[in-house]
Amino acid sequence: MGEVMLAVGTAKGLFLGRSEDRRSWSWTGPHFVMQGVYSVAIDRRGGLPRILVGADSSHWGPSVFHSDDLGASWQEPKQPAVRFPESTGASLERVWQLQPAGPQEPAVVYAGTEPAALFRSTDGGESFALLESLWEHPQRKDWGAGFGGQGMHTILVDPADPALLTVAVSTGGVYRSADAGASWSASNTGVEARFQPDRYPEFGQCVHKIAADAGDPSRLYLQNHGGVYRSDDAGASWSPIDAGLPADFGFAVAAHPRRPGTAYVFPLVADYERLPPEHRCRVYRTEDAGETWQPLATGLPQQAHYGVVLRDALSLDDADPAGVYFGNRNGEVYGSADEGETWQLLKEHLPDVLCVRAALIS
């Protein structure tokens, strides 16, 4: 199978796990001790994997680091990797997302930030430039901020066409570009904004996360601030698929890396009760693109469990069968080596888990 790396970003540092059987793990960390790690990417497009980390120091501020030796050492650019031009009047609060582009653009990495903006790197994530077209979009000034801030938390690059980009902002909604970011349009048709007088506005939804289907890049799954949705036209329109779930609120959604129609969510009761339904720890999986959902709970706590899984804290590796991983605000990390059928506790007593990324590294 090879070796899997599991990167776990927490409120007080990064922890790196490695395993050849996905049952016994060796761990290092905390890297970036006392820094909030909100974004991690494992970029395997070069000869060796590059780990990219968006860390946030309360003293030094946010920065992007990278390692080309699997976390043994870390490099930080002499100049800030992500910086708003002075003309914008904005300053970087946080890097919410780091997303390598496709194999057609081996040096391109995107960063999503707070305040909500999209940056592009052409040197593997060592320096980034603001995509001013989205920053200057006339609707941007009316975007709100979610409970955790105004973050661009989702960046999707179409694997067949790197010019097709999809981003999501909390609270701004979904935006698409067909020309590599030169122009953008809101793409929220069918997505509800229950907190607004107009329940179906053109933009302003509090989208929590989007994932792309393995078989059809135009099929997307969306976890909203109330509601789980699917698009079959690359985000031009959305339809609800939360029938069969115990609740339609949540933060995370992740798609299987190879199996079409297969995706995972972690439901929470509602925005006013951000706890698992019945206080049971359950991941839900669909294998038919949201027509039906199956609870996956074997090995997970089924009573008095209050762990919340945040938007980037659910991830799959690309082994066969795929491994599924999530971390919660209790500081627990769970993993499944059989696509969610059974689970085991991999790590506990961590700070709040903010993001999780997994990938084969050998």
Side-chain angles (χ1 to χ4, degrees):
M1 181 194 74
E3 187 176 25
V4 171
M5 169 165 279
L6 184 60
V8 180
T10 78
K12 296 183 180 180
L14 173 72
F15 296 80
L16 295 175
R18 294 169 65 175
S19 175
E20 294 185 349
D21 62 6
R22 296 182 294 182
R23 288 175 172 79
S24 59
W25 294 79
S26 60
W27 293 90
T28 64
H31 307 264
F32 314 106
V33 65
M34 295 305 295
Q35 297 192 43
V37 176
Y38 285 80
S39 52
V40 177
I42 303 173
D43 186 357
R44 299 172 306 165
R45 295 172 299 171
L48 292 173
R50 167 170 283 193
I51 307 172
L52 294 157
V53 172
D56 186 359
S57 165
S58 60
H59 181 72
W60 299 108
S63 189
V64 176
F65 302 82
H66 69 271
S67 173
D68 293 325
D69 53 16
L70 300 178
S73 62
W74 298 93
Q75 288 73 49
E76 180 182 16
K78 293 182 180 179
Q79 300 296 323
V82 179
R83 178 171 54 183
F84 281 89
E86 187 174 344
S87 60
T88 64
S91 60
L92 179 66
E93 296 288 332
R94 182 167 295 142
V95 177
W96 277 96
Q97 189 78 176
L98 290 163
Q99 179 60 57
Q104 307 97 321
E105 300 177 310
V108 173
V109 178
Y110 290 96
T113 67
E114 178 187 346
L118 182 64
F119 287 75
R120 187 175 190 265
S121 170
T122 58
D123 56 13
E126 298 186 31
S127 63
F128 291 81
L130 176 68
L131 269 71
E132 296 187 0
S133 56
L134 185 55
W135 180 258
E136 295 171 354
H137 194 286
Q139 294 172 348
R140 184 194 62 82
K141 61 182 174 55
D142 294 319
W143 292 349
F147 187 72
Q150 189 197 75
M152 180 170 290
H153 52 70
T154 295
I155 304 167
L156 300 176
V157 183
D158 190 296
D161 183 354
L164 298 178
L165 304 175
T166 302
V167 302
V169 176
S170 180
T171 303
V174 183
Y175 284 77
R176 297 188 302 158
S177 173
D179 50 18
S183 62
W184 296 86
S185 59
S187 297
N188 301 287
T189 300
V191 179
E192 189 176 13
R194 297 174 183 173
F195 47 85
Q196 293 199 25
D198 178 0
R199 300 285 285 267
Y200 292 93
E202 182 183 356
F203 67 96
Q205 288 83 348
C206 190
V207 174
H208 286 174
K209 195 65 185 174
I210 305 175
D213 188 83
D216 181 356
S218 66
R219 172 172 287 174
L220 306 175
Y221 305 99
L222 184 154
Q223 174 66 67
N224 195 44
H225 188 108
V228 181
Y229 296 84
R230 186 185 77 217
S231 173
D232 294 321
D233 51 17
S237 62
W238 300 88
S239 301
I241 56 169
D242 45 56
L245 291 172
D248 64 8
F249 187 84
F251 292 101
V253 60
H256 193 286
R258 289 181 310 280
R259 290 172 55 191
T262 302
Y264 299 77
V265 296
F266 191 96
L268 303 173
V269 174
D271 53 0
Y272 57 83
E273 187 179 334
R274 301 182 184 205
L275 297 171
E278 303 176 51
H279 303 159
R280 299 170 62 189
C281 184
R282 290 173 292 179
V283 175
Y284 278 73
R285 180 181 65 200
T286 180
E287 297 177 284
D288 51 16
E291 297 298 323
T292 60
W293 294 91
Q294 172 191 5
L296 306 172
T298 301
L300 297 176
Q302 292 305 294
Q303 58 183 354
H305 194 268
Y306 309 101
V308 172
V309 177
L310 297 179
R311 69 183 83 243
D312 266 318
L314 172 65
S315 180
L316 281 79
D317 65 31
D318 48 352
D320 189 8
V324 190
Y325 311 88
F326 68 89
N328 60 34
R329 300 198 71 179
N330 292 356
E332 301 163 338
V333 179
Y334 291 91
S336 169
D338 52 15
E339 308 200 341
E341 296 295 329
T342 61
W343 299 87
Q344 69 176 112
L345 180 65
L346 304 183
K347 194 76 170 169
E348 59 184 332
H349 307 307
L350 296 177
D352 284 15
V353 175
L354 306 177
C355 62
V356 172
R357 287 291 181 270
L360 279 170
I361 58 172
S362 66

